[in-house]
Amino acid sequence: MNDIEKQASPTVAIVMGSKSDYEVMKESAALLEEFMIPHEVRVISAHRTPDAAHTFATGAETGGIQLIIAAAGKAAHLAGVIAALTTLPVLGVPMATSDLGGLDSLLSTVQMPAGIPVGTTAIGKAGAKNAALLAVSILALSDTSLREDLKAYRLKMRAEVEAADAEIREL
Ligand code: RP5
């Protein structure tokens, strides 16, 4: 059991602009579960429920949240709005979109003016997974056991690639 797992309340919040983002963002939740990091998952829209976005972002730190993963698509301002209202680290995940493929979301999330950073990941599922892994890395700075778990995760990936290499070379 790592130090964070011992805490009852959520340490990480995954927030998404729409329920339609969940199919992708469940990848973040699954990884946090794998690392046994208590988390909450919310649907909060910066433009459809701006009051809820404000309440969430201003209350996150006092509620025990240490890091926020915010996912949105199109004019994706959710991560930026949340980052403006808290000094907690905010990781933004751009959602793929039907019209512009997610480049709209990527640019909206990543191009924050100086002063209010949003650590932006890749578009879609890779970004959702990497946001969770970045969250683990950040939390592991003060949790030795979690750091060991992350190293073990990397070793497992390495072993999988090496096994694939051996398999392909035998063909
Ligand atoms: C954004 O608009 C959401 O984050 C979602 O990616 C996109 C489309 O939302 P829906 O129209 O599917 O609710 O706010």
Side-chain angles (χ1 to χ4, degrees), residues 43-130:
V43 176
I44 299 174
S45 168
H47 51 278
R48 290 167 175 155
T49 60
D51 294 343
H54 188 279
T55 303
F56 164 77
T58 54
E61 187 177 350
T62 49
I65 297 295
Q66 293 181 27
L67 185 144
I68 298 166
I69 296 173
K74 303 190 176 185
H77 37 253
L78 180 63
V81 165
I82 290 173
L85 293 165
T86 180
T87 52
L88 292 173
V90 177
L91 302 176
V93 185
M95 294 291 95
T97 60
S98 50
D99 297 319
L100 297 176
L103 187 58
D104 42 354
S105 320
L106 173 64
L107 295 179
S108 301
T109 306
V110 77
Q111 283 291 52
M112 284 297 288
I116 307 292
V118 169
T120 305
T121 66
I123 298 167
K125 283 189 180 180
K129 288 182 180 177
N130 280 345

Side-chain angles (χ1 to χ4, degrees), residues 7-90:
Q7 297 170 14
S9 60
T11 302
V12 174
I14 300 171
V15 187
M16 61 203 84
S18 169
K19 192 180 171 192
S20 64
D21 300 325
Y22 183 68
E23 187 55 32
V24 171
M25 291 313 296
K26 68 183 186 190
E27 302 283 347
S28 278
L31 268 172
L32 293 179
E33 252 152 55
E34 190 172 332
F35 283 93
M36 292 182 289
I37 293 174
H39 57 280
E40 63 178 4
V41 182
R42 303 280 310 272
V43 176
I44 299 174
S45 168
H47 51 278
R48 290 167 175 155
T49 60
D51 294 343
H54 188 279
T55 303
F56 164 77
T58 54
E61 187 177 350
T62 49
I65 297 295
Q66 293 181 27
L67 185 144
I68 298 166
I69 296 173
K74 303 190 176 185
H77 37 253
L78 180 63
V81 165
I82 290 173
L85 293 165
T86 180
T87 52
L88 292 173
V90 177

